[in-house]
Amino acid sequence: MRIEKNFSLKDHNTFHLPVRTRWFMEYDNEDELGRILRDEYFQELRSLHIGSGSNLLFVADFNGIIVHSRIRGIRVARETDTEVILRIGAAEPWDDVVRYAVSRGWGGIENLSHIPGEAGAAAVQNIGAYGVELKDVVDSVETFNQLTFEPHTYTVDACQYAYRHSIFKDEQRDPHIVTHLNLRLQKRPVLRLDYTPLRDAIGALASPTVSDVREAVGAIRHSKLPNPERLGNAGSFFMNPLVDRAQFDALRALHPDIPSYPAPDGRVKIPAGWLIERCGFKGLREGEVGVYEHQALIIVNHGHATGDEIALFAERIRRTVSDRFGILLTPEVRYVE
Ligand SMILES: Cc1cc2nc3c(=O)[nH]c(=O)nc-3n(C[C@H](O)[C@H](O)[C@H](O)COP(=O)(O)OP(=O)(O)OC[C@H]3O[C@@H](n4cnc5c(N)ncnc54)[C@H](O)[C@@H]3O)c2cc1C
């Protein structure tokens, strides 16, 4: 176990904001986690469990306890002729999991290559990219409840997965800490190439493999997304809005080139990046904050921005998009105060 006081979170958030937390605690197993959570002092303070901070915006110093897992490990829990169930520790870097699976030729998560963050957070966030969401391959998620101190295993249905949503995000109702993730992967992969640039990138190959998909995804991501090591960011700042058919038809009458994708329940998904770009924000820089020049959905820290400045800039984008399109964007990034 590791316990630090007045600890800098600069290396624990991909915006690289130099905020501090009153306490920082890391645990190596469920017993240590239980000891932290049962501590009376801990119970009086606010707490937040983080992964690698690639989806967080620290608006100010955190006057409480930041908790982080060090539970690592990837192992085959079960397998058949066609499938393998991988059991993964929550602190395992997500892309190491993808690399592990792809190097063995197992399919299911190759489209999710190179997404920053840890495996536990991937299960919380229902990460998604290029036509695949984590829910498509989750077998079950193992958790530790911070109120009852009980471990629990959620089947994929019990996780209540939806677009960037899971039951684990609902901390008020049931405060779960993810300890392990179990994924169901295919030994004879069926590639998912619905996303046009991905299909175009490997379409010429006679019999593409999961490695080819990983490579193509890497190239696409490299051309579109800033590397947080060089330019602080937290990926897509806003979620893509879902609107009903009538609202979409009204929007299309005004903006005939508006892009869209079908979404569940007859709704329509509109790329938030397109809305933001149309409002003139793409590549705009104001002081230390800006919108990435190649992707309007990404807010970047040019070096010395504060969390507050990023939040104000994001609010300006939201108001402008709302005034122009009547759509109120929802942040995908979690604000922490
Ligand atoms: C350059 C870039 C590109 C990105 N591309 C994508 C993309 O293509 N698709 C996508 O979906 N996302 C993307 N993201 C967002 C981000 O990578 C994901 O949301 C990721 O899953 C966050 O992982 P993390 O470990 O950094 O979690 P954090 O940001 O630290 O935390 C995210 C949330 O998970 C909770 N949490 C973390 N660990 C646990 C745990 N063990 N138990 C319970 N709760 C926990 C936190 O409280 C928080 O609510 C991108 C981000 C960046 C910076």
Side-chain angles (χ1 to χ4, degrees):
M1 194 186 305
R2 173 186 182 195
I3 302 179
E4 306 278 352
K5 197 174 178 185
N6 188 23
F7 182 77
S8 170
L9 294 171
K10 194 164 194 277
D11 297 333
H12 292 268
N13 74 97
T14 55
F15 271 120
H16 305 303
L17 299 168
V19 287
R20 302 188 86 82
T21 174
R22 190 159 155 194
W23 292 98
F24 181 77
M25 297 190 183
E26 287 188 313
Y27 57 91
D28 292 291
N29 51 52
E30 285 89 334
D31 284 349
E32 288 184 359
L33 175 60
R35 285 212 323 263
I36 293 174
L37 298 178
R38 282 188 176 88
D39 187 284
E40 280 178 22
Y41 179 69
F42 175 89
Q43 290 180 355
E44 281 172 14
L45 293 178
R46 346 166 19 216
S47 69
L48 174 69
H49 196 296
I50 65 165
S52 64
S54 64
N55 205 232
L56 301 178
L57 175 63
F58 285 97
V59 179
D61 287 342
F62 189 76
N63 186 17
I65 306 175
I66 294 288
V67 185
H68 183 236
S69 171
R70 287 200 300 211
I71 301 178
R72 298 282 295 262
I74 308 175
R75 70 173 178 82
V76 174
R78 297 195 304 278
E79 66 183 308
T80 65
D81 287 347
T82 55
E83 283 185 345
V84 54
I85 304 289
L86 277 192
R87 184 170 189 260
I88 302 145
E92 201 60 52
W94 169 251
D95 198 51
D96 287 1
V97 180
V98 182
R99 189 183 305 115
Y100 180 98
V102 166
S103 68
R104 285 157 179 79
W106 298 335
I109 51 177
E110 58 281 0
N111 295 41
L112 304 178
S113 289
H114 306 292
I115 297 180
E118 298 175 357
V124 173
Q125 306 281 88
N126 185 24
I127 55 169
Y130 310 119
V132 171
E133 286 183 313
L134 192 77
K135 71 173 174 51
D136 304 336
V137 290
V138 168
D139 176 72
S140 60
V141 178
E142 298 173 42
T143 65
F144 194 91
N145 186 307
Q146 5 187 353
L147 293 184
T148 62
F149 313 122
E150 294 287 332
H152 186 76
T153 299
Y154 286 82
T155 61
V156 62
D157 288 341
C159 294
Q160 297 179 15
Y161 279 126
Y163 170 53
R164 298 294 183 277
H165 183 78
S166 71
I167 193 172
F168 313 117
K169 279 196 158 178
D170 189 353
E171 294 186 11
Q172 302 308 322
R173 255 184 44 208
D174 210 354
H176 328 265
I177 289 174
V178 174
T179 56
H180 291 87
L181 167 63
N182 295 289
L183 296 183
R184 182 182 296 274
L185 303 179
Q186 277 98 46
K187 287 185 173 173
R188 289 175 214 131
V190 178
L191 302 184
R192 300 275 298 271
L193 304 175
D194 318 334
Y195 182 73
T196 314
L198 186 54
R199 201 170 46 235
D200 291 347
I202 64 170
L205 301 177
S207 45
T209 64
V210 286
S211 295
D212 295 323
V213 174
R214 177 170 167 78
E215 205 176 302
V217 165
I220 295 169
R221 293 183 72 91
H222 185 69
S223 68
K224 282 192 168 178
L225 304 174
N227 180 346
E229 293 306 314
R230 288 196 281 278
L231 194 58
N233 76 90
S236 304
F237 198 93
F238 298 101
M239 294 204 264
N240 292 318
L242 300 174
V243 299
D244 63 31
R245 181 39 72 185
Q247 187 179 1
F248 179 71
D249 288 343
L251 278 166
R252 195 169 47 184
L254 291 171
H255 311 278
D257 58 340
I258 189 168
S260 66
Y261 304 94
D265 308 324
R267 288 184 300 169
V268 180
K269 188 187 275 187
I270 300 172
W274 185 89
L275 300 170
I276 296 167
E277 187 173 344
R278 275 300 158 104
C279 291
F281 283 101
K282 191 172 177 183
L284 185 80
R285 175 173 179 171
E286 269 185 12
E288 294 294 307
V289 191
V291 168
Y292 189 50
E293 56 185 330
H294 301 302
Q295 167 55 276
L297 198 44
I298 298 182
I299 296 183
V300 296
N301 175 5
H302 284 287
H304 301 285
T306 64
D308 227 18
E309 286 166 350
I310 294 173
L312 279 173
F313 190 71
E315 191 48 36
R316 212 180 108 205
I317 293 176
R318 277 183 95 212
R319 254 187 290 115
T320 310
V321 168
S322 168
D323 289 350
R324 173 128 187 230
F325 295 101
I327 294 175
L328 199 55
L329 296 176
T330 306
E332 181 173 327
V333 168
R334 178 171 178 181
Y335 288 49
V336 186
E337 296 180 12

